[in-house]
Each structure stands twice: as C-alpha cells, then as structure tokens.
Amino acid sequence: MAGALRRVLNAGCAAGPGEDGAAGPPLLLLGAPRSAQTSLLFAVALEAAGEGRGPVLFLTRRPLQSLPLSTPAARDHWRLQKVLFQYPSSIQELLQLLASAHEAPAPTPSLLLLDGLEEYLAEDPSAQEAAHLAALLLDAAAYFSCRLGANGSCGLVVALETQKEADGDAPHLALFKRYFPAQCQLQPDALGLGQHCCLQASLESGKLSPRTEWSVTFLPNGEMKITPWPAQASTLSPDKKGSSAGSQSLSLGSDNLPGPGFPLDGIPTSGTSADSKT
C-alpha cells in the first residue's frame, strides 16, 4: 500500500505514476520508538477511507488516545466512521482473527492495517509462528481483494517499531522484510531544530522503484508539516517547485498529546470516540 502512504506524504500535490488508488505491494512501516508510525498509519487510513471504496480495518493491541482528524485528502470527520477498529490482545488472538477473515461479514475492507507488530513479536513467537503471522496477513489481504473483485483490491500496511537501525534488533524483522517488498523507514532528522519532533521518511516501493524521501516535522500544536527531503527538493524542475517543494500541513488531533511535538504512538487509554469493536 505504498501508494496511499505516498499520497499522504505528497499532500496537496497531483498524483504521480502508480498513484491512482491501486493497493500496490504490502508495505512495512519501520521506525524507532516515538517516530510517528501510528500517526502516519492513521493518515493512510483516512486517505483510503476517502477513496470511495470499502472501509478500512485497523488492527491494534489497544485503543488510541487521540486521532488525526484531517489530512489534505481527508478533512471530513465522517471518514472516521469508515475506519473499523479491532483489538486482538495477543498474537494468538491476532492469528485467530486473521485466520477467520473469510467469515467476516460485509462490507469488505479496502485496506488492512496492523499497528504495533513489535508488541505481538515481543511474546517471543517461534520463527514458524512469525512466518505464519506474515502469511496470514498476506492471505487476508488477498482474500479481501478477491471479494472486492472489480471494485479494487485490499492494501496491507504493517507498522513495526525497531530499537536500532540494525536488522537484528527486532525479532523476525528480516523475515517480515522478505514478505513485504515495500518499506518506509522513519528515522530522526538531524536537520530538525528546537523541541520539534523531526523525522526523515524514506519510502522504497520495490527494487525497480527509486527511493523517495521527505522531512516530517511535528509542531507543539499537533500540526504535521511535510516537505521533500532537501536533496530531492533541489532537483525539482522550476515548474514543480511551487507545489511539490512547498511545505504541506496535515492537521492532527492535538488533544492529550504526550508532549510537545510527539504524536500518538501506542498510547494506552480506556477508550476512544472512534472505537469500533466488532
């Protein structure tokens, strides 16, 4: 689902090649703790919810404390109603939920999102069990795609928090990278100033696609600003700089944020207005 994430990061710009709403390859969203995976994942959910296809199925271990309420492509609150939450509390519950995807009632989701994969892997599953989880994620997305038929296909995005840049710091990370050909890496932006949360987002959609990078800054008021990474912005042609190289703003719900510029990543809560347990 690299296309939806790319459209979020290119907020306000015209769609490029391969960004016509197709699901695209399954995407692995990687980043260190508090690197905004949840915020970007929900922005992707709202982007997909506004495409006029099926709802979005958002799997996470616990409800979110606050939610992004608008993006350049999704500023209407009704889109939240198309994001259906389920909260499997263990890897066994997650496996059971995915294995019973064929029993899920209509409507069929157009996007399957899993936040906090690292929490399920922290239960120390075997390599076989981890591979089973990856396979069931792909199988569920493929099944939903078959049910959608001519109406489109179901995308898949999984967020995994890592402690270091090295592949060995997260259990079974190398295994999941084999299953997910598209990957987006979030890492601290050395160009960031002050107390803002500044990140570099690097997206690779596949071996044949060039890497695309953005600078993402979260301001104390919860606003998210996105600009092309400096090296890329300088190479844009003059007629594109007015749109692509300009700063794009995504408004996020800033209520109850844990601290200046650090958006909602895995914050437990007793409930949320967008809860949709099924």
Side-chain angles (χ1 to χ4, degrees), residues 13-101:
C13 302
E19 297 178 35
D20 56 357
L27 173 72
L28 192 61
L29 185 61
L30 302 168
R34 308 197 72 77
S35 57
Q37 292 107 315
T38 300
S39 295
L40 287 179
L41 200 64
F42 205 88
V44 171
L46 292 179
E47 173 73 18
E51 292 176 350
R53 298 187 293 145
V56 175
L57 181 56
F58 196 113
L59 307 179
T60 181
R61 197 160 185 167
R62 58 183 65 86
L64 305 178
Q65 185 176 12
S66 56
L67 304 176
L69 296 181
S70 68
T71 71
R75 298 188 183 279
D76 295 326
H77 293 178
W78 65 265
R79 293 196 184 200
L80 290 173
Q81 300 175 7
K82 294 186 66 176
V83 182
L84 310 178
F85 290 88
Q86 292 197 13
Y87 307 103
S89 61
S90 67
I91 191 170
Q92 291 303 324
E93 285 191 19
L94 179 59
L95 290 170
Q96 182 177 1
L97 186 154
L98 294 170
S100 61

Side-chain angles (χ1 to χ4, degrees), residues 17-274:
E19 297 178 35
D20 56 357
L27 173 72
L28 192 61
L29 185 61
L30 302 168
R34 308 197 72 77
S35 57
Q37 292 107 315
T38 300
S39 295
L40 287 179
L41 200 64
F42 205 88
V44 171
L46 292 179
E47 173 73 18
E51 292 176 350
R53 298 187 293 145
V56 175
L57 181 56
F58 196 113
L59 307 179
T60 181
R61 197 160 185 167
R62 58 183 65 86
L64 305 178
Q65 185 176 12
S66 56
L67 304 176
L69 296 181
S70 68
T71 71
R75 298 188 183 279
D76 295 326
H77 293 178
W78 65 265
R79 293 196 184 200
L80 290 173
Q81 300 175 7
K82 294 186 66 176
V83 182
L84 310 178
F85 290 88
Q86 292 197 13
Y87 307 103
S89 61
S90 67
I91 191 170
Q92 291 303 324
E93 285 191 19
L94 179 59
L95 290 170
Q96 182 177 1
L97 186 154
L98 294 170
S100 61
H102 63 285
E103 301 174 355
T108 304
S110 63
L111 177 60
L112 173 60
L113 302 173
L114 173 62
D115 191 24
L117 173 61
E118 73 284 347
E119 296 191 25
Y120 297 103
L121 297 181
E123 298 178 27
D124 197 23
S126 64
Q128 182 178 3
E129 194 171 35
H132 187 204
L133 173 57
L136 282 178
L137 285 164
L138 296 172
D139 184 69
Y143 174 73
F144 291 143
S145 294
C146 289
R147 277 182 36 176
L148 287 170
N151 294 325
S153 55
C154 178
L156 173 62
V157 183
V158 173
L160 172 61
E161 183 180 284
T162 59
Q163 297 296 322
K164 306 173 185 176
E165 295 184 2
D167 286 357
D169 73 299
H172 311 300
L173 175 57
L175 181 150
F176 275 88
K177 282 187 172 182
R178 292 200 299 270
Y179 278 95
F180 290 77
Q183 297 163 20
C184 182
Q185 180 74 49
L186 303 173
Q187 52 190 343
D189 180 357
L191 299 179
L193 300 175
Q195 295 183 348
H196 299 165
C197 177
C198 301
L199 304 167
Q200 177 187 4
S202 302
L203 176 62
E204 295 187 39
S205 302
K207 293 182 179 180
L208 301 179
S209 301
R211 173 184 294 187
T212 313
E213 299 179 322
W214 297 264
S215 177
V216 184
T217 302
F218 290 91
L219 304 179
N221 63 359
E223 182 182 10
M224 181 166 67
K225 287 187 173 293
I226 300 174
T227 58
W229 190 246
Q232 293 184 167
S234 63
T235 62
L236 293 175
S237 60
D239 60 314
K240 293 182 179 180
K241 286 185 178 179
S243 58
S244 302
S247 173
Q248 309 296 335
S249 297
L250 307 181
S251 298
L252 302 181
S254 57
D255 294 340
N256 301 319
L257 288 178
F262 290 91
L264 45 128
D265 275 350
I267 306 166
T269 180
S270 58
T272 173
S273 60

